[in-house]
Amino acid sequence: MSETQSKLKSLLLIAGLTGSGKTLAVQQLEQLGYVGVEALPPKLLLAGIPFWQAHYPRLAVVLDLRVREWQEDLPWLRNWLAERFPDGQTQLLFLEAADAVLVSRLSANRRPHPYCVHSPFAHSPGGLLEAIQQERIALSGLREESDWVLDTSLWNGVQLRQRLQDCLTQEPLPLTVTLLSFGFKYGIPLDANLVFDVRFLPNPYFVPELRLLTGQDLPIQQFLFGEAVTQSTYHHIQTTVQQFLPHFRSERRSQVTIAIGCTGGQHRSVGLVERLRPALAEALPEGYHWLIHHRHLARSQAELAKLFADPLSASGATPHAQA
């Protein structure tokens, strides 16, 4: 048995919002040596524990909490488990994701939400977003009592497994910081914790030789940071983020998204995000995991490439500024 496996808990209870990745979590936990059981009402767990304990050293159980009465069984279940596992070998993990992410996942999979109007578990009439919000409210108390709360909005399976391993081995969980560039013309990100608007900075869109480049390119970086207003703005954003992040981490958050937006998400916001990531990693070297995501970069590039492929546009016609 490895050192990591020796630190894993005997029983892990998993709860969370529909579409937040509970099935994916079980699949990843099986890679860590757990046996997974899904969609089990709390009272049925009691009947199965003696059998499972005799055969499996580690068990991960996804609790089925669609019925309000099953939710009410949870405090009693946790007290019972505390008596049966007095050495702290049980933990409760709660998974969640942003509303927009849950809507996308459930719509893509054509999966009905248990709280939707046509479901026998529905609490009140409403569409998908209303059902998600109802479930979030219904499980809010359980979320507060959980040992770990993980937001899976931006994680793939490998990233989720790493976060689960960090939690279960009781090693310090780094705060994942996503530095996100975006274009206001496409909408403000719903998953952002902090949003900075940099549309007032000098715009490379109006320089023909820079227009089709991105904030990842050196000429754009030189254009932007050759201006005093860009340097001042960058300094203020860096200082603000450095001051805020330790407070997010002290709340045991697993993830924070810092969004910087310009008009189209191709030049200014991308340039600042690219410059900000190494500076923050150097200023906060411990306890943070840094990611960069340029949400609208490819979309903006495709639109500009199509627009200026038109000879009339290329010859000088300039529609509204975007990048």
Side-chain angles (χ1 to χ4, degrees):
M1 180 182 297
S2 68
E3 181 180 353
T4 295
Q5 288 183 321
S6 67
K7 296 180 180 179
L8 298 176
K9 302 301 180 181
S10 298
L11 177 62
L12 178 64
L13 304 181
I14 304 172
L17 304 179
T18 302
S20 62
K22 297 187 291 292
T23 296
L24 180 60
V26 168
Q27 293 171 351
Q28 299 306 318
L29 286 165
E30 289 175 346
Q31 300 293 319
L32 297 176
Y34 280 85
V35 171
V37 179
E38 292 194 64
L40 201 65
K43 285 187 176 178
L44 289 184
L45 175 62
L46 305 183
I49 281 182
F51 169 80
W52 288 317
Q53 275 190 299
H55 295 84
Y56 307 126
R58 284 175 296 276
L59 185 69
V61 178
V62 177
L63 295 174
D64 188 341
L65 302 176
R66 289 174 290 181
V67 179
R68 191 176 300 277
E69 289 76 11
W70 297 349
Q71 298 171 18
E72 294 172 352
D73 287 337
L74 278 175
W76 178 79
L77 170 65
R78 296 205 73 187
N79 290 336
W80 186 89
L81 291 173
E83 294 177 0
R84 191 172 186 90
F85 297 89
D87 54 352
Q89 284 297 304
T90 66
Q91 282 189 324
L92 176 58
L93 170 69
F94 191 92
L95 300 180
E96 62 183 7
D99 286 351
V101 174
L102 295 176
V103 169
S104 176
R105 290 176 180 174
L106 294 170
S107 299
N109 296 330
R110 299 182 180 180
R111 178 182 176 186
H113 193 285
Y115 282 27
C116 276
V117 62
H118 299 300
S119 166
F121 307 106
H123 291 203
S124 62
L128 179 56
L129 182 58
E130 289 82 2
I132 290 171
Q133 293 169 345
Q134 288 175 17
E135 186 179 41
R136 196 182 293 277
I137 293 172
L139 299 181
S140 59
L142 177 62
R143 180 188 187 279
E144 294 300 319
E145 296 176 2
S146 298
D147 297 292
W148 294 100
V149 177
L150 298 183
D151 186 326
T152 67
S153 298
L154 295 177
W155 292 345
N156 58 31
V158 174
Q159 291 168 322
L160 176 57
R161 181 168 72 237
Q162 183 60 54
R163 300 284 81 77
L164 290 169
Q165 181 173 323
D166 292 340
C167 292
L168 296 172
T169 57
Q170 296 185 333
E171 297 170 353
L173 182 66
L175 175 62
T176 297
V177 182
T178 300
L179 301 175
L180 173 74
S181 71
F182 73 97
F184 275 96
K185 67 176 293 186
Y186 305 116
I188 299 177
L190 297 177
D191 52 344
N193 301 98
L194 292 174
V195 177
F196 296 95
D197 183 349
V198 298
R199 286 176 289 181
F200 58 86
L201 296 180
N203 194 346
Y205 176 87
F206 294 110
V207 182
E209 60 268 26
L210 299 180
R211 184 175 292 149
L212 299 182
L213 301 179
T214 79
Q216 296 173 314
D217 296 315
L218 181 59
I220 298 292
Q221 289 278 332
Q222 293 172 335
F223 173 87
L224 291 173
F225 287 93
E227 300 288 339
V229 64
T230 303
Q231 296 177 22
S232 174
T233 300
Y234 169 79
H235 172 74
H236 285 298
I237 292 176
Q238 179 183 352
T239 301
T240 300
V241 172
Q242 285 180 204
Q243 291 175 342
F244 278 26
L245 285 181
H247 297 291
F248 283 117
R249 190 162 186 256
S250 68
E251 285 192 334
R252 293 175 60 197
R253 294 205 185 196
S254 60
Q255 181 171 292
V256 169
T257 298
I258 311 297
I260 301 178
C262 57
T263 305
Q266 177 172 332
H267 296 137
R268 293 165 288 181
S269 61
V270 172
L272 265 67
V273 163
E274 290 288 335
R275 183 70 64 95
L276 192 60
R277 194 267 185 201
L280 289 174
E282 181 179 356
L284 300 170
E286 300 293 336
Y288 298 90
H289 178 60
W290 306 96
L291 299 175
I292 285 180
H293 180 46
H294 299 303
R295 178 163 292 178
H296 298 136
L297 176 56
R299 182 175 179 180
S300 179
Q301 282 184 286
E303 289 184 2
L304 281 183
K306 181 179 180 181
L307 179 65
F308 287 96
D310 182 342
L312 292 178
S313 298
S315 65
T318 56
H320 68 280
Q322 74 158 13

